[in-house]
Amino acid sequence: NAGVMQNPRHLVRRRGQEARLRCSPVKGHSHVYWYRQLPEEGLKFMVYLQKENIIDESGMPKERFSAEFPKEGPSILRIQQVVRGDSAAYFCASSPGTGANTGELFFGEGSRLTVL
Amino acid sequence: GDSVTQMEGPVTLSEEAFLTINCTYTATGYPSLFWYVQYPGEGLQLLLKATKADDKGSNKGFEATYRKETTSFHLEKGSVQVSDSAVYFCALSARNTPLVFGKGTRLSVIA
């Protein structure tokens, strides 16, 4: 499967715990995006990364949330001290590098976080 | 900033009915426009796209035409099937910025 791979698909955490969501982009894609989908709402952009760089984090909450895309390995979205309002589906998407980027994004199947 | 407005759902249609889901946008310059579809429990899949004015995107019987004069990209299908039941998202991409999505329109097709 050469598509975007996200894991875990489902994650349950208690308030105050940490959640780590992983995303492996399409092979050869160097841009990764994270979106959050709250129940019955659209997708909200969170952060845009290239290898080892955060390009745009304008949609990311200032506290408790962080993202990385290391030189080796998957992109990680980390949520510290989770609260019930963090319950959502988190989608990762990837695209080719600039120049081959038509704006189309390739999405993973999402990680559904439930905070008890 | 850039934004997308699409008709609110849910939309319920009988099989073989005609479908229109309205989408209008606000953007600086000339964005690319997209329709994505999300089936239950799955991620988003690109349905069709158009990159310049008057382009028509089409796929699986769905069509949408990029109308610059009305800043619209309405999705249409002549005869829907039960398998088309899903949530449909209109989106735009401008100036190499991340995709901006509308809130989505849930379509239910009944036999």
Side-chain angles (χ1 to χ4, degrees), chain A residues 6-59:
Chain A
Q6 289 188 249
N7 69 83
R9 291 291 309 278
H10 300 276
L11 182 64
V12 179
R13 286 288 179 264
R14 297 191 180 279
R15 281 180 296 169
Q17 292 184 319
E18 178 179 290
R20 283 190 182 228
L21 309 177
R22 288 175 290 278
C23 169
S24 296
V26 172
K27 188 176 181 181
H29 284 187
S30 57
H31 296 205
V32 165
Y33 308 77
W34 285 94
Y35 284 80
R36 177 164 62 175
Q37 185 179 34
L38 294 170
E40 301 304 317
E41 293 192 16
L43 276 78
K44 298 296 184 185
F45 167 74
M46 298 182 74
V47 62
Y48 162 35
L49 310 103
Q50 296 178 21
K51 287 283 186 181
E52 301 184 279
N53 284 305
I54 296 175
I55 306 302
D56 181 350
E57 57 182 346
S58 58

Side-chain angles (χ1 to χ4, degrees), chain A residues 70-114:
Chain A
K71 186 177 180 181
E72 301 291 339
S75 176
I76 306 286
L77 179 67
R78 182 184 179 202
I79 311 171
Q80 296 178 287
Q81 299 173 342
V82 295
V83 300
R84 289 212 174 108
D86 297 333
S87 296
Y90 292 84
F91 288 95
C92 174
S94 72
S95 70
T98 303
N101 190 0
T102 63
E104 177 183 353
L105 298 184
F106 296 80
F107 280 83
E109 294 186 327
S111 293
R112 283 158 179 80
L113 171 65
T114 300

